[in-house]
Amino acid sequence: MEMEMRSISDRDIGTDITPPLTPFSFSLHNTHLHTHCSSCFSLITPIIPTTNHSHSTFYCSPHCSTSHSPIHLSSAERHLPSSINSSLLRTALRLLLLHHTTSLFPRINHLLTNRLLLTCQNDDVNETIRLGAHAMATAIANHRGGGSGGFSEPYDNAVLEKSTDALCAVLTNAVEVHDNEGCAVGIAVFEPAFSWINHSCSPNACYRFSFSSSSLLSQESKFLIAPFTRNSQQPQIDCGVSGSSSEFAQGWRICGPRLIVRSIKRIKKGEEVTVAYTDLLQPKALRQSELWSKYRFLCCCKRCTSLPFTYVDHALQEISVLYGDSSGLRTNYKFFRDMADRRLTDSIEDAISEYLSVGDSLSCCEKLEKILTEGLDEQLEENEEKSHYKFILHPLHHLSLNSYTTLASAYKVRACDLSSGDFEIDSNQSESKAFDLSRTSTAYFLLLASGVHHLFNSESSLIASVANFWVGAGESLLTLTKSSGWSSKFVNFDLVLSNIASDTKFECSKCSLMDRFRDSILNGKIKSEDFENVSNEFIHCVSDITHKVWNFLVYGCHFLKSCKDPISFSWLMSIKNSVDVGANDIKTDMCYTHEPENSIGVSDELAYTDHTVAHILQLGRHCLTYGGLLAFVCYGPNSHLVSHVQNILARENNFLFSL
């Protein structure tokens, strides 16, 4: 019986549609066992370890220790061998403590196990389940027999079956728990009110986590969703959702991180509520592959079933093909395009992996920008003749977006390395070079945010991603305005500071963004119409300011100079030599190439004026505030990201007052 959650009333964007939900079972990842509280998942200082067993867990307070220690001691997890002891197995063992039968077969605690599909193939998932269930059953036998661990105690098939069910239930229903910085610290399996919310690649809701050692969490929000079976008209009352909030209200159920579901689109009464199980900035093929490998289903949402592909999915996978002396590629386009996609993917992923593992930021920047600028050159054999082709990534291809993210980071790291003074070069020269690298990093942050926003205009469910990218761009722009490198580049820095004070206003006269952000925080809500209006105002303002500073930001970077207008994306152009394919193919009309730098109107000189810093400051404040408004829609007024934006804006106001 397929379950789903539907809205019980009309809901606007930015509305909490569940109260804080408590998990059935949860566990920190091994890497965070000694840095975070095992009960509430908050970062711990000071550490309060338990002393009743050899494998210590740590807590942020006596309350967390008292409430969680019985779970740890009773679940048999201490008997798991260290080589296989993981958050997955610990969560499954803890889920078994709450195990009870249900008429909704095949379910455990009303949660779908998906066992038949997860174990139907001879793959890594099946092997993980087989080995994990065996280790769990042995640990339970050792726990009951008082053994010291290992595989010394025998177990019966009933224990193995329950272990397998619990492990499958965790694999099917668990979500990664992210801390305030976006780091995955553990996993948790939540009650059916959340676990029955299905996936969509164009969801109308998202969720956030709350970390607190207090047992008295706010319950102001109510359940605005109800469980239904697929295609039914009546809610399922006696199915575990209505009772899940009180059934375990005492004891174990006061532990764990909380989860709140929030609308990111208008939701009509009776409409199914959906969230994303995968990264929405991936093209359809990658999303489907990940969903099948993890959950054993293929998404049939509106975005995935659209023919032809949606604009967003076209852009995320688009590769332009240039050819010189053959028209035969038309018949083999898909084959050669897939080949190019694999090779481009390998090249970019190798460069990023090398950067993350070795830390060679210079090599990473050179490799990625070469691929973005020059593409992939191939000699391909067709009809016993070899022809030369060039494959160019679309600027909004998912590999391009990943490259912008990495390049923004790598240039920032290079700038910090130079600023640290570890290199044997003149200090003024070092400061000047570090400033140039910071400027390029900022340009990539801005290109990434505006590129994803361009996709967001067609797919509003990308709101969480674009919120983070606009905040990142805003922070980078504001940091650049305070760089000491200005004085190494431009002598009269006192005049620069004076222009900041005279040119920068606390409020923008052209848009209501600042006011709307403050009002949303104060009132705890924003209407869809107001959000759409302020979004349009924001783009107009940011486009106007970006025109004044983009040439300055991208100076010296060949790839960025080819991106003439990162806000309107008018620089996306058609290639006359591109392969013409049928309308039902994966090719689109969105083609892209790099023209010679001077032909697109970008100056070869550093476009600096005495007002440049003030414009960058204005741009940074707009990007940061808009990112904060998007974060409010996704996560609410008290979320970490919204508070982070407020704190930065407060510091900026104090800085302007001091000039």
Side-chain angles (χ1 to χ4, degrees):
M1 186 162 44
E2 289 188 59
M3 303 300 298
E4 61 185 43
M5 302 298 291
R6 300 181 196 169
S7 177
I8 61 175
S9 60
D10 292 343
R11 292 290 109 190
D12 209 340
I13 63 171
T15 303
D16 287 351
I17 54 179
T18 70
L21 303 176
T22 52
F24 276 155
S25 185
F26 55 92
S27 176
L28 289 167
H29 291 318
N30 290 354
T31 52
H32 297 282
L33 283 173
H34 293 165
T35 59
H36 289 68
C37 176
S38 288
S39 179
C40 68
F41 281 25
S42 59
L43 191 64
I44 46 177
T45 50
I47 295 174
I48 303 178
T50 59
T51 58
N52 296 331
H53 45 83
S54 58
H55 301 283
S56 294
T57 51
F58 297 85
Y59 301 101
C60 66
S61 67
H63 167 77
C64 280
S65 178
T66 301
S67 60
H68 183 266
S69 290
I71 302 175
H72 178 72
L73 294 171
S74 303
S75 67
E77 62 197 65
R78 293 178 298 143
H79 298 278
L80 288 170
S82 58
S83 61
I84 201 172
N85 195 331
S86 65
S87 56
L88 173 63
L89 297 191
R90 290 192 295 271
T91 303
L93 283 170
R94 294 171 185 180
L95 185 62
L96 280 178
L97 294 177
L98 308 178
H99 180 273
H100 64 276
T101 58
T102 173
S103 59
L104 299 178
F105 179 81
R107 297 178 181 270
I108 178 172
N109 295 331
H110 299 287
L111 303 179
L112 182 69
T113 65
N114 210 24
R115 177 173 173 174
L116 291 178
L117 286 175
L118 289 174
T119 58
C120 69
Q121 295 183 348
N122 188 20
D123 58 7
D124 291 341
V125 174
N126 190 16
E127 185 69 1
T128 296
I129 294 171
R130 187 184 67 82
L131 294 177
H134 175 66
M136 289 172 58
T138 303
I140 293 171
N142 285 333
H143 178 69
R144 292 173 178 175
S148 59
F151 298 93
S152 57
E153 295 289 336
Y155 58 81
D156 57 40
N157 287 335
V159 174
L160 181 62
E161 288 296 304
K162 289 183 178 180
S163 297
T164 303
D165 284 342
L167 194 54
C168 289
V170 172
L171 287 169
T172 300
N173 297 280
V175 292
E176 289 274 6
V177 178
H178 294 87
D179 64 11
N180 291 331
E181 305 302 325
C183 177
V185 296
I187 60 174
V189 176
F190 286 89
E191 56 192 81
F194 175 72
S195 294
W196 287 355
I197 297 178
N198 291 318
H199 163 83
S200 171
C201 294
S202 181
N204 53 23
C206 66
Y207 54 90
R208 68 181 186 274
F209 296 100
S210 175
F211 308 96
S212 175
S213 60
S214 172
S215 61
L216 298 176
L217 291 177
S218 172
Q219 295 291 329
E220 292 182 1
S221 301
K222 299 179 180 179
F223 274 108
L224 301 178
I225 57 178
F228 286 76
T229 57
R230 183 72 70 181
N231 299 322
S232 72
Q233 300 300 317
Q234 297 297 322
Q236 302 295 303
I237 303 301
D238 186 20
C239 60
V241 172
S242 59
S244 61
S245 294
S246 59
E247 182 178 358
F248 300 101
Q250 304 297 322
W252 295 332
R253 294 303 306 281
I254 66 174
C255 302
R258 269 46 173 183
L259 180 145
I260 302 98
V261 183
R262 188 172 175 86
S263 63
I264 56 173
K265 298 178 181 178
R266 285 176 171 172
I267 305 177
K268 296 180 180 179
K269 180 179 179 180
E271 181 180 350
E272 182 180 4
V273 174
T274 55
V275 297
Y277 292 5
T278 187
D279 181 4
L280 299 179
L281 279 174
Q282 296 181 113
K284 175 183 174 180
L286 290 183
R287 296 196 310 270
Q288 296 282 27
S289 176
E290 182 177 336
L291 291 170
W292 176 257
S293 65
K294 287 185 176 181
Y295 306 107
R296 295 291 196 265
F297 75 86
L298 296 177
C299 182
C300 296
C301 70
K302 184 177 180 180
R303 177 180 171 187
C304 286
T305 55
S306 175
L307 287 177
F309 285 173
T310 65
Y311 174 81
V312 172
D313 280 331
H314 271 307
L316 289 173
Q317 67 178 15
E318 175 65 12
I319 296 177
S320 295
V321 186
L322 304 183
Y323 64 94
D325 56 358
S326 174
S327 60
L329 184 62
R330 182 178 291 104
T331 58
N332 297 313
Y333 174 77
K334 188 177 187 306
F335 171 79
F336 288 128
R337 187 259 180 209
D338 290 345
M339 177 274 297
D341 185 78
R342 288 192 299 270
R343 295 188 183 180
L344 286 166
T345 298
D346 290 342
S347 298
I348 288 179
E349 289 184 349
D350 287 347
I352 295 175
S353 297
E354 181 182 3
Y355 166 59
L356 295 176
S357 59
V358 179
D360 189 346
S361 53
L362 174 59
S363 174
C364 174
C365 292
E366 291 175 344
K367 290 178 180 179
L368 290 181
E369 288 180 331
K370 179 180 176 63
I371 296 171
L372 291 173
T373 304
E374 300 178 9
L376 177 68
D377 287 302
E378 289 288 335
Q379 291 284 342
L380 302 178
E381 186 171 336
E382 298 179 296
N383 300 323
E384 299 181 354
E385 295 183 2
K386 288 188 176 181
S387 302
H388 175 261
Y389 297 94
K390 176 177 284 190
F391 299 88
I392 302 289
L393 287 173
H394 189 279
L396 299 179
H397 192 285
H398 73 104
L399 293 175
S400 298
L401 299 178
N402 291 342
S403 297
Y404 305 156
T405 304
T406 305
L407 286 164
S409 169
Y411 272 104
K412 183 178 180 180
V413 168
R414 291 173 63 189
C416 292
D417 288 344
L418 277 175
S419 299
S420 66
D422 294 335
F423 298 88
E424 296 180 0
I425 57 177
D426 178 77
S427 59
N428 289 334
Q429 182 183 358
S430 174
E431 190 173 58
S432 175
K433 180 61 175 176
F435 178 81
D436 288 337
L437 294 171
S438 296
R439 182 167 47 78
T440 304
S441 171
T442 298
Y444 273 114
F445 273 116
L446 183 58
L447 177 61
L448 175 65
S450 57
V452 177
H453 187 93
H454 183 74
L455 300 177
F456 167 69
N457 288 333
S458 300
E459 180 51 73
S460 61
S461 60
L462 298 175
I463 186 170
S465 295
V466 78
N468 282 284
F469 292 144
W470 278 124
V471 170
E475 286 189 85
S476 185
L477 287 160
L478 294 176
T479 300
L480 184 64
T481 63
K482 297 177 179 59
S483 170
S484 59
W486 290 100
S487 58
S488 67
K489 286 284 186 182
F490 316 105
V491 177
N492 193 357
F493 193 64
D494 289 338
L495 179 59
V496 170
L497 293 177
S498 175
N499 284 327
I500 289 178
S502 60
D503 290 358
T504 305
K505 300 178 176 59
F506 290 101
E507 305 295 336
C508 177
S509 60
K510 298 180 180 180
C511 73
S512 59
L513 175 60
M514 307 295 177
D515 288 335
R516 189 63 62 191
F517 179 57
R518 280 195 300 266
D519 291 345
S520 298
I521 303 301
L522 183 63
N523 299 325
K525 61 182 178 180
I526 184 172
K527 294 181 179 179
S528 298
E529 310 85 65
D530 294 335
F531 176 72
E532 292 171 4
N533 290 336
V534 77
S535 294
N536 291 330
E537 293 174 355
F538 163 75
I539 286 299
H540 286 306
C541 278
V542 167
S543 179
D544 179 60
I545 304 172
T546 301
H547 279 299
K548 300 173 183 177
V549 301
W550 183 244
N551 288 354
F552 172 81
L553 292 174
V554 304
Y555 174 77
C557 180
H558 176 69
F559 171 73
L560 287 172
K561 288 175 74 173
S562 69
C563 306
K564 183 178 179 181
D565 186 348
I567 305 301
S568 70
F569 279 80
S570 59
W571 46 280
L572 292 180
M573 61 197 80
S574 295
I575 303 175
K576 295 180 180 179
N577 286 348
S578 64
V579 176
D580 184 19
V581 296
N584 292 328
D585 210 320
I586 54 177
K587 185 77 166 60
T588 75
D589 292 332
M590 297 183 299
C591 303
Y592 174 74
T593 187
H594 290 273
E595 298 293 335
E597 293 172 4
N598 290 337
S599 69
I600 59 175
V602 178
S603 173
D604 281 333
E605 298 181 358
L606 188 60
Y608 169 78
T609 71
D610 291 336
H611 301 280
T612 297
V613 184
H615 293 322
I616 292 176
L617 183 62
Q618 291 173 339
L619 182 59
R621 286 171 61 86
H622 275 75
C623 293
L624 186 70
T625 305
Y626 186 66
L629 183 63
L630 295 174
F632 163 80
V633 172
C634 292
Y635 308 119
N638 300 318
S639 66
H640 172 76
L641 189 55
V642 171
S643 298
H644 179 64
V645 169
Q646 289 178 298
N647 291 335
I648 296 176
L649 291 175
R651 290 198 299 269
E652 288 300 316
N653 289 342
N654 292 335
F655 170 71
L656 291 176
F657 273 126
S658 67
L659 295 179

